[in-house]
Amino acid sequence: MSNIDSFSRLCAQLAKLPGIGRKSAQRMAYYLLSQPPEQVEALADAILTARRTVHECRVCGNYTDQDVCSICADERRDGSTICVVRDPRDVAAIERMRDYNGKYHVLHGTISPMEGIGPDDIRIRELLGRLSGVREVILATNPDIEGEATAAYIARLLKPFSDIKVTRIAHGV
């Protein structure tokens, strides 16, 4: 395989990353090839190590390399409030705002009949198992069709729990 083939293959792999087009992939490839080998190896090692060690928190579903993520383990956070989000990047976005001090629940998707994703395909059952001691559930799914359908479905499930306040915020993350 020639250098051109290897370069094209690198560009093709980089272009598979979200938000990276062909030109950006080429710029990244040129940059990586101009770096010392130990820096490129450190990046490759970080990617492989994260892929091997990062998994879902057994409590909330956020990404962590521990059994329980740092947010769930933090006893200073308000355990009576759970903010329900679509995926781990939503947790990161809300945490950057530094306004929320409760716990999270990551669904890892939204209800989407068109894609064959129903309530049993996302972490709704796990949410229902976490309601002991919870006074408020904040539904912070995206304001798109799937996010709204998911929020409405969860709100209906929580209606019988009269002691739990259900709040809908469409954060648009």
Side-chain angles (χ1 to χ4, degrees):
M1 188 177 275
S2 70
N3 290 339
I4 300 293
D5 290 335
S6 295
F7 181 78
S8 296
R9 197 170 124 225
L10 175 59
C11 290
Q13 291 303 311
L14 291 170
K16 291 179 180 179
L17 296 171
I20 305 297
R22 188 179 56 80
K23 285 186 177 183
S24 292
Q26 282 182 333
R27 279 193 295 277
M28 292 171 73
Y30 282 122
Y31 173 79
L32 290 170
L33 293 174
S34 72
Q35 297 306 297
E38 56 274 2
Q39 279 189 285
V40 177
E41 287 172 11
L43 172 63
D45 182 59
I47 292 169
L48 290 170
T49 299
R51 187 63 192 103
R52 278 193 297 268
T53 62
V54 174
H55 57 273
E56 294 177 14
C57 169
R58 71 173 168 81
V59 177
C60 72
N62 195 15
Y63 286 150
T64 183
D65 59 0
Q66 305 294 314
D67 185 40
V68 175
C69 74
S70 60
I71 295 171
C72 288
D74 187 349
E75 293 182 12
R76 296 169 296 179
R77 296 193 75 117
D78 179 5
S80 70
T81 304
I82 296 179
C83 181
V84 179
V85 296
R86 179 178 189 261
D87 57 40
R89 87 191 119 178
D90 297 333
V91 172
I94 293 170
E95 285 296 292
R96 276 193 303 273
M97 291 186 276
R98 300 182 187 266
D99 289 335
Y100 178 69
N101 192 40
K103 305 283 181 146
Y104 291 94
H105 186 81
V106 182
L107 295 170
H108 287 279
T110 50
I111 297 170
S112 178
M114 297 294 286
E115 294 180 32
I117 300 170
D120 293 337
D121 298 316
I122 58 177
R123 300 183 72 251
I124 293 175
R125 189 174 16 247
E126 292 84 348
L127 171 64
L128 298 176
R130 295 183 61 198
L131 298 178
S132 177
V134 172
R135 291 193 313 258
E136 181 178 17
V137 173
I138 301 168
L139 302 173
T141 54
N142 290 346
D144 55 19
I145 293 170
E146 292 86 2
E148 292 293 342
T150 303
Y153 181 83
I154 294 171
R156 275 194 311 276
L157 288 178
L158 297 177
K159 203 163 192 73
F161 298 90
S162 58
D163 54 334
I164 297 177
K165 176 182 176 187
V166 177
T167 306
R168 171 71 173 128
I169 60 167
H171 62 83
V173 174

